[in-house]
Amino acid sequence: TVNLAFSQDEVAKQILDDLSEKGKSYTDITAEFKWNFSNSEQGIDENSEGKIWIKEDMYKLDMSSDLSIINNGETLWYFMKDVPEVQIMENDPEDEMNPSRIFTIYEKGYKHEYKGVESINSARVHKINLSPSESKVISLITLYIDSEKTEIIKIKIIDKDGGTTTYTITKFITNSNLPTSTFNFKRQDHPNVEIIDLR
């Protein structure tokens, strides 16, 4: 049993190392996804769609029509389009939920466990659990990695309050020369937005 557990751990580590190496080779990433948040205790089951752009430690996350989060590595803009209001904050380098770290999150503070192979939309997929040794927010992350392409196709995050957030990737594009300006909030494009500077 011990040997089996060790070998499963080695399998998970190798897959994650391959994923990390491939992730670091991208100059940038653009992905479209379906989003679901559910919490059975609170009777919540919400669906949405989104798009994300990632370059180095910068990202822009667009959730359908109501929310956009933009982070240029120094400043974070939390733009609630339906209010409309944008909150400006300093980037938190310790932010667990920073999507630019998804390929390397396992390298620090997480235990990994190989949970076998599944089939998703006819693709052979590795399932790996990441358990944080210390976390105020997350209790478990599950990565679903396409075995042929070495790409994440689904991420499931379970929080300490019993909520489950699932991101299912529907489109994945790399190395499209995203300009740095993608990761800045352009005030001139939103003249009627209330600005709240929390820095």
Side-chain angles (χ1 to χ4, degrees):
T1 308
V2 174
N3 288 340
L4 179 62
F6 179 76
S7 62
Q8 293 291 69
D9 181 69
E10 287 298 299
V11 169
K13 178 79 163 55
Q14 185 60 58
I15 293 167
L16 290 168
D17 284 348
D18 291 345
L19 180 72
S20 174
E21 186 178 342
K22 190 167 185 183
K24 289 172 182 174
S25 74
Y26 302 142
T27 56
D28 57 62
I29 296 167
T30 304
E32 295 177 17
F33 58 87
K34 290 181 179 176
W35 174 91
N36 174 267
F37 176 77
S38 62
N39 187 317
S40 54
E41 287 184 12
Q42 299 176 14
I44 301 171
D45 187 10
E46 299 173 347
N47 293 286
S48 186
E49 294 182 350
K51 190 170 183 177
I52 190 164
W53 299 260
I54 299 172
K55 184 174 186 175
E56 297 166 359
D57 59 350
M58 304 178 288
Y59 69 90
K60 177 181 177 182
L61 174 66
D62 251 336
M63 294 298 297
S64 56
S65 59
D66 59 345
L67 177 65
S68 185
I69 303 173
I70 305 167
N71 190 329
N72 66 3
E74 294 181 4
T75 305
L76 183 144
W77 293 268
Y78 194 89
F79 179 25
M80 292 166 279
K81 305 174 192 176
D82 51 345
V83 176
E85 171 186 299
V86 62
Q87 297 178 0
I88 307 174
M89 294 164 259
E90 290 184 4
N91 172 48
D92 177 5
E94 300 300 318
D95 180 12
E96 291 183 76
M97 302 298 286
N98 186 321
S100 69
R101 298 181 184 168
I102 191 60
F103 296 106
T104 55
I105 191 171
Y106 73 96
E107 293 178 351
K108 184 180 176 185
Y110 281 84
K111 297 174 187 171
H112 44 267
E113 183 183 5
Y114 187 69
K115 300 300 287 183
V117 175
E118 291 186 9
S119 180
I120 298 178
N121 297 330
S122 74
R124 185 174 179 269
V125 175
H126 296 296
K127 182 179 176 182
I128 297 176
N129 280 352
L130 301 176
S131 306
S133 25
E134 290 181 33
S135 174
K136 297 172 184 172
V137 183
I138 299 167
S139 58
L140 182 69
I141 298 175
T142 304
L143 301 180
Y144 298 81
I145 302 164
D146 188 306
S147 63
E148 189 175 324
K149 298 178 181 177
T150 318
E151 288 177 3
I152 296 173
I153 61 171
K154 189 163 82 168
I155 304 163
K156 190 178 285 185
I157 301 169
I158 300 175
D159 63 46
K160 294 282 176 78
D161 297 322
T164 301
T165 306
T166 305
Y167 300 90
T168 304
I169 311 298
T170 55
K171 196 171 186 179
F172 191 79
I173 302 166
T174 60
N175 305 330
S176 52
N177 295 319
L178 291 175
T180 305
S181 59
T182 304
F183 307 98
N184 286 299
F185 179 78
K186 301 174 180 66
R187 192 175 297 193
Q188 65 272 21
D189 294 343
H190 308 282
N192 300 319
V193 171
E194 181 182 359
I195 308 286
I196 299 177
D197 197 329
L198 301 173
R199 289 173 292 183

